[in-house]
């Protein structure tokens, strides 16, 4: 499987999903009721939970396991530790009261699994952005009392994005606690998903990246990182395409600000690309492709790129060898696999 020298580095996988059994049951009931009002959720979770194929059944079974099966899969692929977080769309599909009520229950469940396997698991807190004040409070509880390592937000919440200042209590809490927010994809919201659904590109193949990349740019342009300069945002899939666009974003952002074309484009303290390089970290989840990994490292810096497998959605054991065989030194591989994760998530 691997060409790595024994004990040269520990492989820490940083975007690894789980789903409480109660959450899966709630998703199924929501799908059956037809009341989600979210075609992206219905497409995505309808496929995984109602398809019934061997592939989707295996993924759903693995999502719900925080014990022997997950550990065996990790052992088989040489993964020393997973940073586990609730699968998309997490709690963000529910109404505010339901989501706020479920967050402590699910975080307690994940924290118990981490306590049972502290050398193998770490976790990120599920929060309910529907109520930013409650989300900030639950993040603080999850970090201080449960030992979780940050929060996961699955992109938009009912079509709303975190660039709206009403959500910034979440960022204030994350900065004060010095923990990252993992901005994970979900399908685009109802207001933009039409062309993606009709062409079959609504999910991980492309729609995820479009929506999450848009979210990233909205955060940058909003000035959130001028307000919270120590805020850490982690994104998967090598930055959802944004590293490739940084020159063009800088160029046109400057022109839009100068001409006052859009009211929401205010002068920033830095260039958009600077925030990408200083406030964001990217993981290799779902992108076991040597040219893309090397490009992200060259643009953002070797200390900004972390390894992830995207388990169990892209549980492809052979992909670990792609990272092991990168044309970089063992010291650089240790950064990618281990040291960066230990620093960002305080492992």
């Amino acid at each position: 499987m691997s060409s790595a020298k024994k004990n040269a580095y520990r492989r820490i996988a940083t975007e690894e999903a789980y789903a409480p059994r109660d959450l899966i049951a709630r998703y199924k009931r929501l799908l059956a009721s037809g009341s989600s009002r979210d075609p992206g959720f219905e497409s995505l979770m309808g496929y995984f939970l109602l398809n019934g194929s061997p592939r989707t059944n295996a993924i759903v079974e693995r999502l719900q396991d925080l014990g022997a099966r997950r550990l065996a899969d990790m052992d088989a692929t040489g993964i020393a530790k997973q940073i586990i977080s609730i699968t998309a769309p997490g709690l963000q599909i529910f109404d505010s009261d339901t989501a706020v009520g479920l967050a402590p229950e699910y975080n307690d469940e994940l924290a118990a699994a981490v306590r049972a396997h502290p050398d193998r698991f770490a976790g990120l807190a599920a929060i309910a952005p529907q109520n930013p004040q409650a989300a900030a409070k639950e993040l603080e509880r999850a970090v201080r009392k449960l030992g979780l390592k940050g929060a996961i937000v699955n992109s938009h919440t009912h079509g709303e994005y975190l660039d709206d200042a009403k959500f910034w209590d979440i960022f204030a809490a994350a900065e004060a606690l010095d923990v990252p927010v993992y901005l994970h994809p979900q399908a685009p919201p109802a207001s933009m998903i039409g062309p993606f659904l009709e062409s079959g590109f609504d999910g991980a193949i492309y729609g995820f990246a479009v929506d999450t990349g848009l979210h990233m740019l909205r955060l940058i342009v909003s000035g959130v990182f001028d307000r919270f300069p120590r805020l850490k945002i982690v994104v998967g899939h090598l930055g959802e395409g944004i590293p490739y666009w940084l020159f063009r974003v800088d160029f046109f952002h400057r022109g839009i600000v100068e001409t006052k074309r859009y009211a929401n484009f205010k002068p920033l303290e830095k260039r958009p690309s600077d925030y990408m390089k200083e406030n964001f970290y990217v993981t290799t989840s779902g992108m076991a492709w040597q040219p893309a990994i090397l490009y992200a490292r060259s643009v953002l810096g070797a200390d900004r790129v972390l390894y992830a497998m995207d388990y169990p959605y892209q549980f492809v054991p052979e992909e670990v060898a792609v990272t092991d065989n990168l044309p970089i030194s063992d010291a650089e591989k240790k950064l990618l696999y281990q040291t960066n994760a230990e620093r960002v998530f305080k492992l």
Side-chain angles (χ1 to χ4, degrees):
M1 176 200 67
S2 169
S3 61
K5 298 175 184 177
K6 186 175 179 59
N7 298 325
Y9 42 76
R10 299 176 70 236
R11 299 183 189 87
I12 300 174
T14 54
E15 186 194 298
E16 317 309 310
Y18 93 107
R21 295 187 184 279
D22 177 73
L23 180 66
I24 294 295
R26 287 175 181 273
Y27 282 172
K28 287 181 176 179
R29 290 198 296 270
L30 192 56
L31 289 168
S33 72
S35 63
S36 76
R37 300 189 301 279
D38 188 323
F41 168 77
E42 292 169 9
S43 174
L44 180 68
M45 279 301 155
Y47 170 68
F48 281 108
L49 300 182
L50 306 179
N51 178 273
S53 72
R55 178 180 181 273
T56 56
N57 286 344
I59 288 172
V60 173
E61 289 170 7
R62 283 186 162 96
L63 276 174
Q64 297 172 85
D65 187 287
L66 287 175
R69 183 169 188 173
R70 184 176 293 254
L71 291 166
D73 288 342
M74 292 168 64
D75 291 341
T77 50
I79 302 301
K81 193 164 197 167
Q82 285 189 350
I83 299 179
I84 303 170
S85 51
I86 199 165
T87 194
L91 303 175
Q92 291 163 243
I93 191 65
F94 302 120
D95 65 83
S96 179
D97 289 345
T98 300
V100 169
L102 290 173
E105 175 185 335
Y106 292 169
N107 290 331
D108 288 347
E109 179 179 325
L110 178 56
V114 172
R115 287 194 301 272
H117 305 284
D119 295 332
R120 308 302 304 276
F121 296 161
L124 299 179
I127 60 174
Q130 298 93 318
N131 184 327
Q133 294 75 32
K137 185 176 180 180
E138 176 58 17
L139 174 57
E140 182 173 9
R141 185 191 78 93
V143 171
R144 295 195 186 281
K145 293 188 177 181
L146 302 182
L148 299 183
K149 302 301 182 179
I152 184 148
V153 174
N154 292 287
S155 195
H156 69 88
T157 303
H158 300 305
E160 293 190 300
Y161 296 87
L162 299 179
D163 60 308
D164 190 319
K166 73 181 184 180
F167 293 111
W168 288 8
D169 283 354
I170 296 169
F171 294 144
E175 186 183 59
L177 293 163
D178 193 25
V179 296
V181 174
Y182 203 118
L183 190 65
H184 185 278
Q186 63 163 303
S191 59
M192 64 184 285
I193 199 172
F196 294 91
L197 271 176
E198 68 185 19
S199 60
F201 282 97
D202 53 298
I205 190 171
Y206 191 56
F208 281 7
V210 173
D211 181 69
T212 310
L214 172 66
H215 202 154
M216 294 162 64
L217 292 175
R218 289 178 65 136
L219 291 179
I220 290 171
V221 170
S222 73
V224 70
F225 300 109
D226 290 342
R227 173 65 180 81
F228 304 104
R230 295 182 293 106
L231 179 63
K232 296 176 287 190
I233 303 290
V234 186
V235 293
H237 318 109
L238 291 173
E240 310 293 1
I242 298 302
Y244 189 83
W245 281 88
L246 289 179
F247 174 86
R248 195 163 174 83
V249 171
D250 281 348
F251 182 89
F252 283 102
H253 178 266
R254 182 170 62 249
I256 291 170
V257 169
E258 288 175 356
T259 60
K260 299 182 171 64
R261 181 180 181 185
Y262 296 113
N264 64 305
F265 273 57
K266 305 293 186 183
L268 298 173
E269 294 178 8
K270 304 173 185 178
R271 298 174 302 176
S273 62
D274 293 327
Y275 300 103
M276 189 69 201
K277 296 172 184 177
E278 296 172 14
N279 294 96
F280 283 86
Y281 297 84
V282 306
T283 77
T284 65
S285 60
M287 290 290 286
W289 189 30
Q290 184 180 114
I293 297 172
L294 295 176
Y295 177 77
R297 294 176 81 255
S298 72
V299 171
L300 303 178
D303 63 340
R304 293 277 157 177
V305 183
L306 293 69
Y307 172 75
M309 178 179 280
D310 208 356
Y311 178 94
Y313 293 104
Q314 284 190 237
F315 176 49
V316 183
E318 296 78 13
E319 289 188 357
V320 179
V322 173
T323 312
D324 282 347
N325 293 329
L326 287 170
I328 57 178
S329 69
D330 274 353
E332 290 176 303
K333 289 175 186 174
K334 186 174 182 178
L335 273 178
L336 177 62
Y337 268 127
Q338 178 182 343
T339 313
N340 288 341
E342 290 173 336
R343 174 170 47 86
V344 173
F345 294 101
K346 296 183 179 178
L347 301 179

